[in-house]
Amino acid sequence: MVEKQYAAAGAAPAEGAWSPLKVKLFRAMWLAILGSNVGTWINDVAAAWVMAERTGSPLMVALVQSATTVPVVLLALAAGTLADIVDRRRYLLLTQGWMLLVAGTLAVFSGLGLLTPPLLVVLTFAMGCGAAMAMPAQAAVVSELVPRPMLASAVALNSIGINIARSLGPAIGGLIVAQLGPAWAFGANALSFSLMLWVLWGWKRAPEASALPPEGFGAGLRAGLRYALRAGRLQAVLIKSAGFFFFASAATALLPLVVRGELQGGAGLYGFLLGCIGVGAVAGALLLPILRAKLDRDLLVLLATLALAVSLLGLAWVRSTVLLPLAMLVNGFAWITVLSSLQIAAQTAVPPWVRARALSLYIMVFSLGMATGGLSWGSVAQRSSIPLALTIAAIGAVVAGLLVWRVRIAGTETLDLRPAGTWPAPELAQPVSHDRGPVLVTVEYRIEAADRDAFHTLIGELGSVRRRDGAVVWGVAEDVATPGIHLEYFVTSSWVEHLRQHERVTAEDRAHQERIRELHRGEHAPLVRHFVGGEGVLKHMGHHHRQDLG
């Protein structure tokens, strides 16, 4: 819809760092998400403070923090599936309403003095569940709000918002708790969800046109996993993410210990260094359009990973209050560069029908990397020393960056993954119910001997696409009586699954199929046949089978 608006105006959308903010709906959503993220940080500060005040137990404080992150790992894939198969606007309204209810409950119970430690953990976990369910949908709607040329800048702006919230939220939360009390902090978080609901309510999202019934949750979950197993570019994003975030987590996990133990500093110095990370991230996001125009995406990720390693070494060994902030600026710059590059690749490596599921896998890898990395580096630091743990993390980041260097994410922005709609509807002598199956589809090609190798290469790549989009069996065979006649065949579980294959064909797939059809030498187009099984066919086959046995 946004693309059409620009086309109608006759103007090409700008691609500057701030250009997405010219789109009214994106600007409103960005500000609402920024406010929500600030509210989340305020909530986290208040929850940790209440738990520390009530129990004085580091374990209970850590439990509150875990209650916000564990749901992401547990629920992200389910959340991505739901965000792809239901209306995302209504889905986000539901998740934001849930978090508003939880935040309001926290505020009321805190104000009445009824917020016990067990209840705080339960409500914090409920809040984390709401956030986990909302994350994939929030990430996926970015591509709906801006034209494709602005997508990279829009993703970078979202990252800027996260870092602004990370810089401002804890300070605001600490001030509210100190001056007004935790109940007001929880109430401020509830207000932030109210703003999100207001923006979502005003979003007039165009319904997606499809003549097919909505995908069920189980089928949608399997389709997402099946796609991920066949999508090389998405797998590249996940591999690079796993290699980066595990080692990058050392800085956030050990920075408080460096400030307290190595520098003998207090909360002020810790907040200042966190602010330096945020400033470096914002500066990096502003420079990213220039860097992306000049550097290959994979080279950019590698250089940022090396910069991250330098910042980890600085955090490990530099004790100057002048040089250490510079190391944290570099850390923020490296962090935003890799994070933005991977998010853009994840957004553009998959078509719209599976985008939220793909992003949910990315979010899971990110969360697992940060959680396991934080625990691992904390354990290494406890068994040896903080500088040694940071040094090992820096070396590991360099080694991992070099190992995944050849796993390519560059070029995803140029992929045309819009629905092509080129498969003609199957000709039916009589209606076929959606649940009938299995379905066998055959495509007959006539290929000259000189083109045989090229055909096998292209048809093999098409087989991966068929499986990715729903085929449970795929193969190709050659007629031994008439060489040159090749039969491609694939099976889907039901008629509706085959019809979904029609809807899932992208412009990239269409171009690939055209290259195959150029090798076809028949007078007519390749002959396509559809064979549908069903209960009646199976009963009939079973009857004859019993007769043969008799």
Side-chain angles (χ1 to χ4, degrees):
M1 179 178 291
V2 179
E3 293 275 15
K4 292 179 181 178
Q5 291 172 354
Y6 275 94
E15 299 182 44
W18 302 102
S19 59
L21 294 178
K22 297 176 182 177
V23 180
K24 182 178 178 181
L25 181 57
F26 175 82
R27 182 172 65 249
M29 192 74 75
W30 185 82
L31 290 172
I33 293 175
L34 173 62
S36 179
N37 287 334
V38 170
T40 298
W41 278 105
I42 293 173
N43 185 91
D44 290 348
V45 169
W49 178 261
V50 169
M51 186 61 78
E53 190 177 49
R54 296 288 177 88
T55 68
S57 167
L59 178 61
M60 292 299 293
V61 174
L63 185 60
V64 169
Q65 294 173 346
S66 298
T68 63
T69 56
V70 170
V72 176
V73 179
L74 297 177
L75 301 175
L77 186 56
T81 302
L82 287 172
D84 273 333
I85 65 177
V86 302
D87 183 86
R88 284 178 188 157
R89 173 182 170 273
R90 295 179 180 177
Y91 177 75
L92 283 171
L93 283 170
L94 180 62
T95 58
Q96 300 303 311
W98 168 259
M99 289 188 284
L100 171 61
L101 176 63
V102 175
T105 303
L106 278 166
V108 171
F109 276 76
S110 178
L112 296 175
L114 301 176
L115 192 58
T116 62
L119 181 59
L120 177 59
V121 172
V122 170
L123 290 174
T124 303
F125 183 80
M127 181 73 72
C129 290
M133 296 301 288
M135 280 182 183
Q138 283 184 350
V141 297
V142 174
S143 60
E144 298 186 45
L145 303 179
V146 297
R148 189 177 177 88
M150 289 185 182
L151 181 59
S153 296
V155 172
L157 277 171
N158 275 355
S159 300
I160 288 177
I162 292 172
N163 282 278
I164 291 174
R166 184 170 66 174
S167 301
L168 298 180
I172 296 173
L175 183 63
I176 293 176
V177 170
Q179 298 297 322
L180 301 174
W184 287 90
F186 295 132
N189 189 33
L191 178 62
S192 72
F193 295 124
S194 300
L195 295 175
M196 273 292 296
L197 285 168
W198 180 71
V199 172
L200 288 168
W201 188 261
W203 178 21
K204 305 303 180 185
R205 184 174 186 261
E208 297 180 1
S210 175
L212 301 180
E215 212 171 4
F217 178 79
L221 183 62
R222 291 191 296 273
L225 293 174
R226 180 182 62 233
Y227 190 97
L229 290 173
R230 299 285 176 182
R233 296 296 179 93
L234 175 61
Q235 291 173 4
V237 173
L238 300 180
I239 291 170
K240 282 185 179 286
S241 300
F244 178 79
F245 293 122
F246 179 81
F247 298 103
S249 65
T252 52
L254 299 180
L255 179 59
L257 300 177
V258 170
V259 172
R260 292 187 61 185
E262 304 289 322
L263 299 176
Q264 301 298 311
L269 179 59
Y270 176 58
F272 172 69
L273 293 177
L274 280 178
C276 289
I277 295 176
V279 170
V282 172
L286 296 177
L287 290 174
L288 273 177
I290 300 174
L291 295 176
R292 283 195 298 264
K294 296 183 177 181
L295 296 175
D296 173 84
R297 180 60 49 82
D298 294 283
L299 177 59
L300 184 60
V301 170
L302 177 61
L303 293 176
T305 302
L306 297 178
L308 176 98
V310 171
S311 73
L312 290 175
L313 291 174
L315 183 59
W317 302 107
V318 173
R319 296 298 172 256
S320 167
T321 55
V322 175
L323 297 179
L324 190 55
L326 293 177
M328 294 301 95
L329 288 171
V330 172
N331 186 279
F333 179 87
W335 177 268
I336 197 69
T337 300
V338 176
L339 185 68
S340 177
S341 298
L342 294 176
Q343 284 182 339
I344 293 166
Q347 289 265 11
T348 55
V350 296
W353 69 268
V354 75
R355 182 165 290 142
R357 278 166 280 191
L359 289 170
S360 70
L361 288 170
Y362 168 75
I363 291 169
M364 282 182 65
V365 172
F366 169 83
S367 301
L368 278 171
M370 295 298 292
T372 59
L375 290 173
S376 299
W377 302 121
S379 177
V380 172
Q382 186 169 344
R383 293 174 181 270
S384 57
S385 68
I386 296 172
L388 180 59
L390 288 165
T391 301
I392 295 174
I395 296 172
V398 173
V399 172
L402 293 173
L403 287 176
V404 302
W405 156 246
R406 294 189 178 277
V407 180
R408 308 288 289 171
I409 62 171
T412 56
E413 299 96 320
T414 61
L415 297 176
D416 190 353
L417 300 179
R418 294 172 299 174
T422 54
W423 277 15
E427 294 184 6
L428 303 177
Q430 56 185 7
V432 179
S433 61
H434 282 165
D435 60 349
R436 188 175 166 186
V439 176
L440 169 67
V441 182
T442 65
V443 186
E444 184 178 305
Y445 300 92
R446 295 181 178 270
I447 306 297
E448 294 182 353
D451 297 325
R452 192 171 184 273
D453 290 342
F455 172 77
H456 282 168
T457 298
L458 291 173
I459 202 70
E461 295 171 357
L462 180 60
S464 182
V465 173
R466 304 281 203 210
R467 289 193 181 103
R468 186 195 68 194
D469 288 351
V472 294
V473 174
W474 177 89
V476 62
E478 186 174 5
D479 189 342
V480 294
T482 311
I485 296 182
H486 297 258
L487 190 72
E488 179 200 6
Y489 59 90
F490 57 94
V491 177
T492 61
S493 60
S494 65
W495 185 246
V496 72
E497 282 300 310
H498 176 59
L499 294 180
R500 288 198 174 102
Q501 284 184 305
H502 283 248
E503 288 193 342
R504 291 169 180 171
V505 175
T506 68
E508 291 287 328
D509 300 334
R510 177 183 60 190
H512 188 85
Q513 291 175 16
E514 288 300 323
R515 288 193 292 271
I516 295 175
R517 294 194 177 190
E518 287 173 1
L519 301 177
H520 175 68
R521 294 295 181 255
E523 296 181 2
H524 304 285
L527 179 61
V528 181
R529 294 186 179 93
H530 297 80
F531 302 87
V532 186
E535 185 179 355
V537 175
L538 294 176
K539 284 183 177 179
H540 186 67
M541 290 174 61
H543 173 69
H544 281 284
H545 180 62
R546 287 191 296 271
Q547 286 184 334
D548 292 340
L549 290 176

